């Protein structure tokens, strides 16, 4: 069969594919000849930043990835942690940033689809999703368009496929104006002895393609879209964004899980970034094998597709399986019954080479290892960004004190960063599958654990995702430690014990030494915090080149934490549940205002060192919360973070279900300035409510956690005063709730006028 002639492969074409001069010479040395056009495409995607992690791999090797409960760490589709009774949880977070900027609805939707496949590829049924979103200011029409499209894509895909979106975060800052972030997390539950890995084992075993047909969508999404800066040609890259079909994904989930209940599956991997190329090379590399493949057997939805296109297409909802020889018909019957394409496209070989044929012609013949496991790794130059020390210095004498604390609180609650995100999460199905105990809007989501057959257990999983990019911009090391600490603290506020984390490291161009320094410092902070808190890093994703026209985003190392609560029936909510409870503050307020929302909003200053993180104190706090919740001493727990204790107290009064509002009167100790006392963001603090405050205080003393009763719940107002009686804030809770609830929708509505 004739096909379109391939272009001549030379040094110039390699550069167009994003390969450096050094990498081109390395390819020539590996092959001993000039690569074919399909081979050039393979090298370009497999050696791209998105697939090879060539700038970050040396740093990532320093992370703690093992632990008592870790069953599978980084290197597979996702990580796995044992939760007892023969069960495990599989989870991971990934980015779909550049595609979501180019085409927000499909970019976000396919990001959800991709992370779901990472989970069920390992044998787990996906049960809960989170999202972490960053946009520019909403006074920009483009940002409103992007927000609407991304939320539509996340909701549309997740709702249709039947996986609950139970929480997340959204922030707005000018640094994301030209490069939004869309990070998607998913978690699934599986029998601990039924975890499947992406390995092409067993010489002679068949290699099977299953799922949707292959089209031309997504070609070079990994290498030329996700591994390059944006510029004025960005809009023209729209054709490289894949198109997702959640209904096909639902069928694929069920077909894969059914096939996994047989003894047929040896290895399985989704065709995500770099499609058929990445899945086949990585599966062979992990097993130390090779693969022979016939591309003309690949199901195709477009005419006259070339080998290059078939290998690099990132069409969605596709899987690559290696099955036991002789089981092909059984596997084919399952996928066909779910109305999915399925075809034997190759077999496993023992020579460590990838040989790809197209109608009898060999178009690829290259060794697996140099393309996958031994891809280039760089120790890039790094140095501290110019001006960092200057912006870390905050001259407090030049910061005017807050003269209107009540007005400041209302102004903070009226910002999209601190206001309600209900406009976003109300578009998501939070309850599908019937596992959600606590949904969006609190410190952490809480999801009940059921076995694959639907049998309930007494376990629940707490899920939280966090990052303060301003802190990470001011101090990448300390800011990343704070992100880990906050995610763990949010999980602990439910009463759960933090188990492990996954991360999505969003940074600018690593070829710039100041960006590489930020990345390295952030990974160092991530590792130190994870070690101290006993929460190993079991999976993750690195997203680099997040900048446009030379303007990078703030370092945004998103951390998703998972914790275990058992029994699930005893948990804490984040809002005050009733009047007449004592309000107990755990932790200490220190004289720190650097990097705060108050400073940025009220004084227009983004400077100063962020608050210090005491990881040993955080671990003690976790113990108090776990024991306090289990013993019934803690009725509610809400961590103090963005906006300080004033915002935290306000949220406690009006974030209850069904519009429940419970006022509070609080007296705060200390002679700090009002801006620090109310709006400082010192870490390691939690506002709790308790019917037995003396017992809670005794528990806190035993664990070495500072604690004091600061007030009582009840009434229709939030009143905050100093201990000597000076009233700082006295406002009706209904008024505060109204301001907070309208912060985001008001801006979207005003932008449409």
């Amino acid at each position: 069969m004739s096909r379109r002639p391939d272009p001549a492969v030379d040094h110039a074409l390699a550069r167009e594919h994003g390969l450096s001069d050094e990498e081109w010479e390395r390819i020539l040395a590996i092959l001993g000849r000039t690569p074919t056009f399909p081979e050039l495409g393979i090298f370009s995607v497999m050696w791209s930043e998105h697939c090879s992690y060539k700038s970050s791999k040396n740093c990532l090797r320093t992370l703690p990835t093992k632990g008592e409960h870790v069953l599978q760490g980084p290197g597979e589709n996702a990580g796995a942690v044992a939760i007892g009774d023969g069960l495990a949880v599989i989870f991971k977070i990934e980015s779909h940033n550049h595609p979501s900027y180019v085409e927000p609805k499909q970019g976000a939707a396919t990001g959800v689809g991709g992370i779901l496949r990472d989970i069920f590829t390992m044998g787990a049924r996906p049960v809960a999703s989170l999202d972490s979103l960053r946009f520019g200011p909403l006074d920009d029409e483009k940002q409103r368009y992007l927000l609407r499209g991304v939320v539509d894509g996340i909701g549309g895909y997740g709702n249709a496929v039947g996986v609950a979106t139970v929480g997340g975060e959204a922030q707005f800052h000018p640094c994301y104006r030209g490069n939004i972030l869309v990070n998607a997390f998913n978690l699934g539950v599986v029998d601990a002895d039924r975890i499947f890995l992406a390995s092409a084992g067993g010489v002679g075993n068949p290699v099977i393609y299953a799922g949707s047909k292959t089209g031309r969508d997504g070609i070079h999404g990994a290498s030329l879209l996700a591994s390059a800066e944006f510029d004025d040609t960005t809009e023209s890259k729209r054709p490289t964004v894949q198109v997702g079909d959640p209904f096909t994904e639902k069928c694929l989930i069920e077909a894969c899980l059914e096939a996994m209940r047989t003894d047929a599956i040896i290895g399985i991997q989704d065709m995500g970034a770099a499609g058929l190329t990445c899945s086949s090379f990585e599966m062979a590399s992990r097993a130390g094998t090779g693969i022979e493949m016939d591309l003309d057997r690949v199901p195709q939805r477009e005419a006259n597709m070339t080998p290059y296109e078939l290998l690099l297409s990132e069409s969605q909802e596709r899987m690559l399986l290696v099955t036991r020889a002789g089981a092909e018909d059984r596997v084919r019957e399952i996928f066909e019954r779910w109305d999915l394409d399925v075809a034997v496209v190759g077999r496993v070989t023992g020579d460590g080479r990838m040989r790809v044929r197209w109608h009898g012609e060999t178009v690829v013949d290259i060794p697996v290892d140099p393309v996958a496991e031994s891809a280039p790794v760089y120790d890039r130059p790094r140095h501290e960004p110019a001006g960092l020390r200057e912006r870390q210095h905050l001259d407090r004498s030049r910061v005017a004190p807050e003269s209107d604390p009540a007005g400041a609180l209302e102004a903070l609650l009226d910002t999209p960063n601190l206001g309600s995100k209900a406009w976003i999460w109300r578009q998501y199905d939070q309850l599908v599958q019937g596992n959600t105990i606590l949904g969006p809007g609190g410190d952490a989501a809480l999801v009940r654990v059921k076995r694959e057959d639907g049998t309930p257990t007494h376990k629940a999983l707490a899920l939280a995702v966090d990052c303060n990019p301003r802190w990470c911009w001011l101090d990448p090391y300390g800011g990343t430690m704070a992100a880990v600490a906050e995610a763990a603290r949010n999980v602990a506020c439910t009463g759960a014990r933090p188990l492990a984390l996954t991360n999505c490291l969003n940074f600018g161009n690593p070829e710039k030494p100041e960006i590489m320094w930020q990345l390295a410092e952030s990974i160092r902070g991530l590792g130190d915090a994870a070690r101290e808190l006993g929460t190993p890093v079991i999976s993750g994703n690195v997203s680099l080149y997040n900048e446009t026209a030379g303007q990078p985003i703030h370092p945004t190392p998103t951390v998703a934490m998972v914790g275990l609560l058992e029994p699930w029936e005893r948990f804490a909510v984040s809002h005050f549940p009733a009047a007449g409870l004592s309000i107990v503050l755990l932790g200490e307020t220190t004289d720190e205002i650097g990097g705060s929302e108050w400073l940025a909003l009220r004084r227009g200053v983004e400077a100063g060192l962020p608050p210090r993180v005491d990881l040993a104190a955080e671990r003690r706090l976790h113990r108090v919360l776990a024991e306090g919740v289990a013993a019934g001493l803690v009725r509610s727990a809400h961590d103090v973070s963005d906006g300080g204790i004033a915002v935290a107290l306000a949220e406690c009064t009006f974030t209850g279900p069904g519009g429940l509002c419970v006022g509070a009167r609080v007296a705060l100790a200390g002679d700090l300035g009002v801006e620090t006392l109310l709006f400082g963001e010192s870490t390691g603090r939690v506002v709790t409510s308790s019917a037995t405050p003396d017992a809670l205080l005794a528990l806190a003393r035993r664990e070495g956690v500072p604690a004091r009763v600061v007030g009582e719940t009840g009434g229709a107002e939030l009143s905050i005063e100093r201990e000597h009686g000076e009233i700082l804030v006295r406002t009706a809770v209904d008024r505060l709730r109204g301001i907070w609830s309208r912060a985001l929708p008001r801006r979207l509505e005003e932008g449409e006028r």
Side-chain angles (χ1 to χ4, degrees), residues 421-452:
K421 306 303 188 298
W423 181 90
I424 295 174
W425 52 256
R426 281 178 182 157
Q427 299 182 55
Y428 304 154
D429 190 334
Q430 309 139 39
L431 303 175
V432 65
Q433 299 188 38
N435 301 316
T436 307
I437 301 168
L438 295 175
D443 289 68
L446 199 58
V447 178
R448 192 171 179 184
V449 175
K450 295 176 184 174
R451 295 185 180 276
E452 170 64 17

Side-chain angles (χ1 to χ4, degrees), residues 108 150 214 356 540 747-748:
V150 165
T214 295
V356 180
R747 285 165 174 81
L748 292 170

Side-chain angles (χ1 to χ4, degrees), residues 525-649:
L526 178 69
D528 286 353
R531 267 183 289 271
E532 180 63 30
L533 296 181
T535 54
V537 182
I538 67 163
S539 61
N541 174 233
V542 177
S543 175
L544 304 180
Y545 296 94
N546 289 291
E547 56 182 90
T548 299
Q551 295 300 311
I553 63 165
H554 282 356
T556 311
T558 306
V559 174
M561 185 73 65
V562 174
L564 178 65
L565 180 67
E566 189 175 17
W568 72 265
E569 293 88 347
R570 187 63 66 86
F571 60 89
V573 295
S574 60
H575 59 275
F576 294 144
L581 299 174
S582 294
I583 301 171
V584 179
L585 176 63
L586 303 176
E588 290 186 296
T589 301
T590 54
D591 190 14
E592 298 173 292
I593 199 70
S596 66
E597 286 283 341
W598 175 87
L599 188 64
L601 178 69
R602 299 289 280 182
R603 299 295 176 262
V605 175
E606 292 186 298
L609 277 171
R612 185 178 63 89
V613 180
D614 185 337
L615 295 168
E618 295 277 359
R619 291 195 73 165
R620 295 193 295 271
L621 179 63
H622 298 170
R623 290 196 294 269
V624 169
L625 290 167
E627 293 183 38
V629 172
L633 308 180
V634 174
R635 294 284 304 278
S636 70
H638 181 33
D639 99 301
V640 180
S641 56
D642 298 349
I645 195 169
V647 168
L649 286 166

